[in-house]
Amino acid sequence: MSPDFIPLSVPVLAGNEWTYVRECLDTGWVSSAGPFVTRFETELAGATGAAHAVACTSGTAALHVSLRLAGVGRGDLVLAPTVTFVAPINAIRYLGADPVFFDCDRHYNLDPEPLRQFLDAETEQREGSLHDRSTGRRIGALLTVAVFGHAGDWQDLYASCRERGLAVVEDATEALGTRYTSGGWSGRHAGTNSEFGCFSFNGNKIITTGGGGAIVTDRADHAGRARYLTQQAKDDPIAFRHDEVGYNYRLTNLAAALGVGQLELLEHFVARKRANLARYGERLAHLPWCELAPAPPYARNNHWMYPLYLRDGKWRGRARELVAALGAEGIETRPLWMLNHLQRPYRGCRVVGDRRARDLVANTVNLPCSVDLTPAAVDRVCEVLAHV
Ligand SMILES: Cc1ncc(COP(=O)(O)O)c(C=O)c1O
């Protein structure tokens, strides 16, 4: 790899990670029991303002368990965004349910307006739960995703769900460190405004445990059930009695040790992300054909990713080609994910709208955003963009 190569996003292990991991190795606590797992849970709950956190092996595992605890079951529908990485959509399928896909807003997040219209016009209460009027199928949950760390505009939507008894699961995987600064959720963190919030700590997230995830919730009963299901549903650990089908989803102490070290750096990481974004903004301001995607004004976003929108000019509609052109210059960027309703396993699922999603897919390129990106690297990306 050329020394000038600028990656999209790499982890930065700059704090106490070595010390904590060495402590696991020195004491032999390397597996899913050990003090760092509970310490990571306590500190994550503190960092997000949630009452409880349950550490899992991955964000996908956290989503799987949360959707199950929300009551999603075989044959149900789950209302979900088409713009997201595929993991949360797969978690719906793990439970034998099907997504109904909705379009996004200008911040890449699930657009609340078509959802509200759908709830008003196309659903009805029957036998104590919500059903899709046209197919008669039960609606098990709403699943939202805070895309690229952007806080969602979902306060009224969640209230409508609550009125209808519809559970909400928030995939805040990309939004650790994002918090609302105005409106009714002011002061609250992404992932803490419904029954379940899910996070991932894989290698490209704002903090990493190597691989890992967590569920946050304010309800002690949900946290207890999540802990039970993620540890093989042990009803009697001596007699090995299991009254339900559980999962081997508990985070290891080794991974949690890494996580504790990384969590200590979270605020510093958010500050770095924001400073680099500001520099991109200054350096790109003179290019009329592109703009940094606007962040929601009602939140302090973590700016996990830096989506660049191609609004005009020769790259309009050609995000993937621009990714290739920048790659040839040693700059790693990524387009948006392929829309989920176009993915093979989900092609038969209902799509309520995708107009904005299609536009954003064709016209978004995510710029290098590692926490340790230097000002010189930002300048180089911007210079290449100016001439590419
Ligand atoms: C929105 C979203 N949800 C879920 C996941 C899955 O998390 P994990 O890789 O930890 O399973 C990711 C990324 O990895 C993601 O971006």
Side-chain angles (χ1 to χ4, degrees):
M1 201 182 292
S2 143
D4 295 335
F5 175 72
I6 302 177
L8 179 72
S9 174
V10 291
V12 172
L13 304 163
N16 289 317
E17 295 89 341
W18 269 111
T19 311
Y20 298 154
V21 168
R22 188 174 298 118
E23 196 176 316
C24 299
L25 299 177
D26 287 344
T27 57
W29 289 100
V30 293
S31 196
S32 51
F36 281 111
V37 188
T38 33
R39 183 164 157 195
F40 183 56
E41 290 178 332
T42 307
E43 289 177 14
L44 182 66
T48 56
H52 309 274
V54 180
C56 305
T57 45
S58 69
T60 310
L63 286 158
H64 182 192
V65 170
S66 295
L67 286 165
R68 177 167 157 187
L69 291 178
V72 173
R74 190 158 294 282
D76 282 355
L77 298 174
V78 174
L79 312 179
T82 190
V83 173
T84 170
F85 181 57
V86 73
I89 308 303
N90 285 342
I92 296 169
R93 249 316 150 64
Y94 295 169
L95 292 160
D98 286 317
V100 176
F101 291 112
F102 289 82
D103 205 354
C104 60
D105 65 14
R106 58 203 284 266
H107 306 302
Y108 300 81
N109 282 330
L110 196 64
D111 187 348
E113 189 48 32
L115 250 150
R116 201 187 50 72
Q117 284 171 17
F118 177 87
L119 288 174
D120 284 348
E122 305 200 32
T123 66
E124 64 190 15
Q125 291 288 342
R126 212 176 331 128
E127 293 145 16
S129 48
L130 197 66
H131 289 255
D132 171 32
R133 199 171 276 143
S134 65
T135 58
R137 289 173 72 177
R138 182 177 175 275
I139 301 174
L142 165 69
L143 174 70
T144 62
V145 182
V147 176
F148 302 143
H150 291 169
D153 182 14
W154 300 317
Q155 207 191 332
D156 294 343
L157 176 64
Y158 286 15
S160 301
C161 291
R162 241 190 333 273
E163 279 163 22
R164 291 169 166 87
L166 184 64
V168 178
V169 173
E170 296 177 273
D171 183 350
T173 272
E174 300 170 4
L176 183 66
T178 291
R179 99 176 105 68
Y180 291 82
T181 50
S182 62
W185 285 348
S186 184
R188 297 190 67 89
H189 290 253
T192 65
N193 294 297
S194 69
E195 288 93 327
F196 301 95
C198 299
F199 291 97
S200 161
F201 311 111
N202 79 10
N204 75 351
K205 295 300 177 292
I206 191 160
I207 69 159
T208 186
T209 57
I215 301 167
V216 296
T217 178
D218 282 339
R219 283 187 42 182
D221 57 337
H222 285 335
R225 289 276 301 151
R227 252 186 212 109
Y228 169 78
L229 287 178
T230 52
Q231 294 178 79
Q232 303 282 27
K234 288 193 193 94
D235 287 283
D236 183 334
I238 307 299
F240 291 106
R241 203 186 87 235
H242 307 268
D243 293 342
E244 289 185 54
V245 176
Y247 312 99
N248 182 12
Y249 279 173
R250 183 80 171 152
L251 191 70
T252 66
N253 202 49
L254 260 181
L258 211 54
V260 171
Q262 288 269 285
L263 253 188
E264 291 169 354
L265 300 171
L266 177 62
E267 280 304 308
H268 166 64
F269 285 176
V270 174
R272 296 282 313 140
K273 290 266 190 191
R274 295 172 67 82
N276 279 332
L277 182 75
R279 192 173 182 97
Y280 269 122
E282 285 162 18
R283 298 293 188 279
L284 294 174
H286 68 288
L287 298 183
W289 54 272
C290 63
E291 63 185 343
L292 288 169
Y298 45 79
R300 195 250 350 215
N301 290 276
N302 70 355
H303 293 295
W304 172 62
M305 280 279 150
Y306 300 151
L308 183 76
Y309 182 69
L310 313 175
R311 66 175 169 209
D312 212 348
K314 75 168 179 177
W315 295 111
R316 174 92 187 137
R318 298 169 62 207
R320 285 192 199 168
E321 287 153 275
L322 180 56
V323 167
L326 293 169
E329 302 281 342
I331 295 170
E332 187 180 41
T333 58
R334 282 285 176 275
L336 216 58
W337 312 277
M338 182 173 159
L339 295 177
N340 280 298
H341 68 274
L342 303 176
Q343 306 277 8
R344 190 186 293 259
Y346 302 110
R347 273 184 210 156
C349 296
R350 181 155 176 210
V351 190
V352 174
D354 70 348
R355 236 179 76 182
R356 193 188 303 264
R358 281 180 184 272
D359 175 53
L360 294 181
V361 166
N363 291 299
T364 300
V365 169
N366 280 305
L367 300 178
C369 63
S370 302
V371 163
D372 67 352
L373 196 67
T374 61
V378 173
D379 293 354
R380 178 152 167 263
V381 174
C382 297
E383 274 156 30
V384 172
L385 274 169
H387 299 111
V388 74

